[in-house]
Amino acid sequence: MFCRNCGTQMGEDAKFCPRCGAPVSSPQQETFQDVTQQERIPQGDMSQGAPWQGNTQQAPVWPKKSRGGRKKVIIPVAVAAAVGVVGIGAFAIRGTYFFQSKFSSPGDHYRFVEQTYIEQCVADLEKDGDHSVDSLTMDIQIEEAGLAMLGITGYPEQSAADGLNDLEIRMQSGEEGDLSGASLGLYTSDGENLVSANAVVDQENRKMYIQVPELSQGYLMIDSETFDSMGGNAIGSLTASSPDNADLAAIISTYTDIFLDYAVDVERKDTVISADSVEQEAVVFDVSVGGTQFQDMLTEMLTAMQEDEALEECINYWGDYITFTESYQYGGYYTDEYSSGYSYEEFKNNLKQLTDEVASDDSFKTAELKMEVWVDSSGEIIGRNVTISDGAMTMPLFGYKIARNNGIYGFEFVFGDKEDAYGSYIQIAGGGVERNGIADGTFTLETDGQTVAEIEMSDYNIKSAEDGFLNGTFKLSTDTDPSLAGLALEITIGSYEGSLTESFSVLSNDVPVATLNVETSEESDYTPSLPDSTEIYNVMNEADMAAYSESMDLYALEERMRSNEFLDMLFDVYAYY
């Protein structure tokens, strides 16, 4: 038989339904067959066309299915789902600037804003990645105004100027295994090669090969001993272990996280930020870290620096850079006598000593770091002012403000103490307009109370700058020196994914005089390879150098270069003097 309540099949001797618990002994309990029959054919012979008379015949008995069992399951699930949705929604709301600004404490609000700003900076650095320069093209153009200023009017001078305008410097570099190298050449604008130089560094065997093919087919070889004495190992380290943006991003994250852990003394208030007479409503946070907190924060930062692998990469790189540059300060040879010997181990030892001094010096307990941070209605940081004090004197470190109002913006940046009559500072201040993501403006560069330069900015692409690409034109002029009156330097920059174009123009009353054009790219078809020629000459071997001199064809090189009018003029000037 079947349960009348839920339809579950039961044994003939069952007293209660094993599923819903309904009693079986009810006199109204019917078999499933009876119920089915009632459902199929209502009482009365409808097949004969006789209508069903509800008042004379028994109405069909339909099984009543209680939903009480389902409610026992559905209601808890629905409640759990609702709680989950509310919880997720609350978490999402809590992660918004609106929630933080309206419902969180000043400290939590500030840390949320600062952490968001830091995460964005880190993301931008990691997104930008490393931008290598594997290809470069550079040329100089003397404009008509430049010719006039130089007094170039005759045919020879005009021809020489045309020759200069026709020249290009091209460079390509690349790596292949343990080999790294570059090719540098002087070309005409139509691609004719006048003179070039190839250099290949073999890091595995610590050797370098240099060739000037227009002068000699032979290669000058710098052997391993000379290579090391010239800082060759430093060259390899510079190319192989240069820090990338990921290292810098990791460094920023590490020490800002430590700072935020100690930034618990925070006050918040509504205010108006002003920059170059432009005002904007904002919220300002007054943040301070002082006393033992300041001492503990410095100690923790210095301790973390001793184990920071990303920082170690940077220190090693700059140590190699110092080694490389010092090798050329002292006649092209690197020795321990002239080397600063700066290494990461020395840096780490200095850090340990400084950490101990900070941790034990009670004077740090009177120091205090203060910071004002301005934030707009969307949570973007639009100003910052940082000062430090020792209890008796307060020293401003730097500050900046950006205010926007109806398409007008103002900007101020100060490094140093502007109010200190005996101190030095640098200030850039100005403003302009923003339309459709493009900004124009005029700024002044000031130091020690004097305006030293004026900067005009035009066609600055705000969106591309946010994506890590600088595009715009900047014109610098000054009237501090009467001899520079009317002159200006105009820089136009166009940066894109994998390439950069720049032009530097000298202007006289806004008319171009001369322009330097530079184009760089991350793409190059240059691949370094070891020389397969037997003509290899060791620069430290007198016999080899004598043989190399015999292989040189100076006359052919001179004739090749004299085919350009500008270089021809230079040869004549050199011969005269």
Side-chain angles (χ1 to χ4, degrees), residues 1-10 17-20 22 29-32 35 63-66:
M1 64 180 175
F2 296 86
C3 175
R4 179 180 178 83
N5 185 51
C6 66
T8 301
Q9 186 174 5
M10 303 177 295
C17 175
R19 179 177 180 182
C20 67
Q29 184 73 32
E30 298 177 26
T31 66
F32 182 79
V35 174
K64 297 180 180 180
K65 296 183 180 180
S66 172

Side-chain angles (χ1 to χ4, degrees), residues 255-268:
Y255 302 102
T256 52
D257 285 348
I258 294 175
F259 169 76
L260 291 178
D261 287 341
Y262 287 89
V264 295
D265 188 0
V266 181
E267 296 181 0
R268 173 183 59 193

Side-chain angles (χ1 to χ4, degrees), residues 428-505:
I428 299 176
V433 297
E434 296 177 349
R435 295 188 183 93
N436 301 321
I438 302 297
D440 300 324
T442 302
F443 309 88
T444 57
L445 176 62
E446 177 183 311
T447 182
D448 294 335
Q450 292 186 337
T451 298
V452 296
E454 184 177 273
I455 306 170
E456 293 182 30
M457 182 181 73
S458 58
D459 299 327
Y460 179 76
N461 193 313
I462 300 172
K463 179 62 173 65
S464 67
E466 293 174 352
D467 294 335
F469 302 107
L470 181 61
N471 290 274
T473 299
F474 308 87
K475 186 174 74 172
L476 290 77
S477 59
T478 179
D479 57 3
T480 57
D481 187 341
S483 65
L484 298 177
L487 296 178
L489 175 64
E490 184 176 77
I491 304 172
T492 300
I493 303 174
S495 59
Y496 313 93
E497 188 70 40
S499 66
L500 172 69
T501 59
E502 300 169 290
S503 67
F504 304 84
S505 298

Side-chain angles (χ1 to χ4, degrees), residues 326-483:
E326 285 183 346
S327 70
Y328 288 94
Q329 282 183 319
Y330 302 102
Y333 293 95
Y334 169 75
T335 62
D336 292 338
E337 179 182 358
Y338 297 117
S339 170
S340 64
Y342 196 77
S343 65
Y344 177 72
E345 288 303 319
E346 182 179 355
F347 171 79
K348 193 171 181 178
N349 290 334
N350 291 336
L351 273 181
K352 290 179 179 179
Q353 182 179 352
L354 181 59
T355 304
D356 293 339
E357 291 176 359
V358 170
S360 59
D361 191 345
D362 290 339
S363 65
F364 283 97
K365 295 180 180 179
T366 62
E368 184 177 29
L369 176 69
K370 287 190 174 183
M371 185 163 56
E372 294 175 291
V373 180
W374 289 268
V375 179
D376 66 10
S377 58
S378 64
E380 179 183 355
I381 295 178
I382 56 176
R384 191 186 299 271
N385 188 42
V386 183
T387 61
I388 191 168
S389 66
D390 60 359
M393 180 180 67
T394 298
M395 180 177 67
L397 298 180
F398 73 92
Y400 70 89
K401 297 178 181 178
I402 305 172
R404 297 180 176 88
N405 195 336
N406 294 324
I408 308 297
Y409 73 92
F411 173 80
E412 295 178 2
F413 172 83
V414 179
F415 182 83
D417 186 2
K418 187 178 179 180
E419 304 300 327
D420 186 358
Y422 301 99
S424 297
Y425 70 92
I426 297 175
Q427 174 182 276
I428 299 176
V433 297
E434 296 177 349
R435 295 188 183 93
N436 301 321
I438 302 297
D440 300 324
T442 302
F443 309 88
T444 57
L445 176 62
E446 177 183 311
T447 182
D448 294 335
Q450 292 186 337
T451 298
V452 296
E454 184 177 273
I455 306 170
E456 293 182 30
M457 182 181 73
S458 58
D459 299 327
Y460 179 76
N461 193 313
I462 300 172
K463 179 62 173 65
S464 67
E466 293 174 352
D467 294 335
F469 302 107
L470 181 61
N471 290 274
T473 299
F474 308 87
K475 186 174 74 172
L476 290 77
S477 59
T478 179
D479 57 3
T480 57
D481 187 341
S483 65

Side-chain angles (χ1 to χ4, degrees), residues 181-307:
S183 174
L184 179 66
L186 184 63
Y187 294 78
T188 62
S189 58
D190 60 4
E192 181 185 357
N193 181 15
L194 299 178
V195 63
S196 61
N198 305 310
V200 177
V201 176
D202 182 358
Q203 289 294 336
E204 181 180 7
N205 298 300
R206 305 196 319 279
K207 292 181 180 181
M208 179 186 293
Y209 301 89
I210 302 173
Q211 181 197 38
V212 181
E214 294 78 23
L215 180 63
S216 170
Q217 292 301 307
Y219 287 82
L220 293 173
M221 182 192 70
I222 299 174
D223 60 23
S224 58
E225 182 178 352
T226 309
F227 182 79
D228 292 343
S229 67
M230 294 177 62
N233 287 331
I235 297 175
S237 298
L238 286 173
T239 57
S241 62
S242 58
D244 55 23
N245 284 0
D247 293 328
L248 183 56
I251 292 172
I252 292 174
S253 296
T254 298
Y255 302 102
T256 52
D257 285 348
I258 294 175
F259 169 76
L260 291 178
D261 287 341
Y262 287 89
V264 295
D265 188 0
V266 181
E267 296 181 0
R268 173 183 59 193
K269 63 181 179 181
D270 294 332
T271 187
V272 173
I273 187 173
S274 177
D276 196 49
S277 301
V278 179
E279 294 186 342
Q280 178 182 352
E281 293 184 353
V283 171
V284 63
F285 297 98
D286 292 318
V287 185
S288 62
V289 180
T292 56
Q293 283 187 328
F294 182 75
Q295 186 180 33
D296 293 343
M297 181 184 71
L298 285 182
T299 302
E300 185 173 342
M301 285 184 175
L302 292 171
T303 302
M305 290 172 69
Q306 298 176 36
E307 304 298 330

